[in-house]
Amino acid sequence: MSDETGTPDTPKGGPRPEPIRFFGTTWVDHDGGYTARRIAVSAGSLAAAAISCLVLRFAYQGLSIADVGALVTLLVVVMFAVCSALAFGHTWGAFTKRPDPERQSSLRGLLTIGFVGSLLAYFFRSLTEAPGEKLHREEYDQARAAHEKRTSRRTGNPSRRRRS
């Protein structure tokens, strides 16, 4: 969060919400076509997952045509299934907790191979909210509360306060 000018209801100098991919900052007040964007993201990620499965089917048929053997074919299928399951779990977890950058870079290859799992996680999360909205909302609310606490001023002179 930055301490620059935020949304209209945020005081000048307050924290700005962090934009989410495909949603910008519409997730804050659920305005600006938020529902339409969620529907489009859901449909798009599901369509991309379906097309990806079709491409993987072509790859499987290519292995069958090449007659590489049952063991190699089985290993490829298991590799894509395991990597997709791991990518789904990692992507789903990244919507609720910031991933460690070092771990993220070390898992880049696995996430690339298991892209179908990542697409499906994106689809399922977008059915209920913008992917990552809960995490961003928690961080934004904490930043706003901290900003309010920092900028609230006392009224009156404390030395003139009556003591009972």
Side-chain angles (χ1 to χ4, degrees), residues 3-164:
D3 283 341
E4 297 173 16
T5 308
T7 57
D9 61 340
T10 305
K12 186 172 181 170
R16 276 193 347 206
E18 187 175 342
I20 296 176
R21 181 183 302 162
F22 304 122
F23 292 91
T25 57
T26 60
W27 60 268
V28 176
D29 297 321
H30 292 187
D31 60 352
Y34 173 80
T35 305
R37 289 176 190 224
R38 265 196 34 221
I39 292 169
V41 165
S42 294
S45 59
L46 186 60
I51 291 169
S52 300
C53 288
L54 184 64
V55 169
L56 290 177
R57 171 118 172 102
F58 289 147
Y60 177 79
Q61 286 177 343
L63 290 174
S64 296
I65 292 170
D67 197 27
V68 292
L71 179 63
V72 173
T73 304
L74 178 69
L75 287 174
V76 169
V77 169
V78 169
M79 174 196 63
F80 273 107
V82 168
C83 289
S84 290
L86 291 172
F88 180 92
H90 184 278
T91 305
W92 191 264
F95 294 143
T96 56
K97 188 178 85 172
R98 292 267 180 197
D100 178 32
E102 290 180 19
R103 184 170 185 262
Q104 184 80 9
S105 66
S106 68
L107 291 176
R108 187 168 292 139
L110 180 129
L111 294 174
T112 303
I113 294 170
F115 61 97
V116 175
S118 293
L119 289 170
L120 289 175
Y122 212 81
F123 166 71
F124 287 120
R125 182 58 92 172
S126 64
L127 291 176
T128 58
E129 67 176 9
E133 178 181 345
K134 183 178 178 182
L135 173 67
H136 284 78
R137 187 168 303 283
E138 287 173 0
E139 291 175 348
Y140 180 59
D141 289 343
Q142 287 174 354
R144 284 183 66 179
H147 178 73
E148 292 290 327
K149 189 175 180 181
R150 278 193 319 266
T151 58
S152 64
R153 305 237 188 321
R154 291 187 304 202
T155 58
N157 187 347
S159 65
R160 292 185 180 175
R161 188 174 299 163
R162 286 189 176 168
R163 303 198 187 220
S164 354

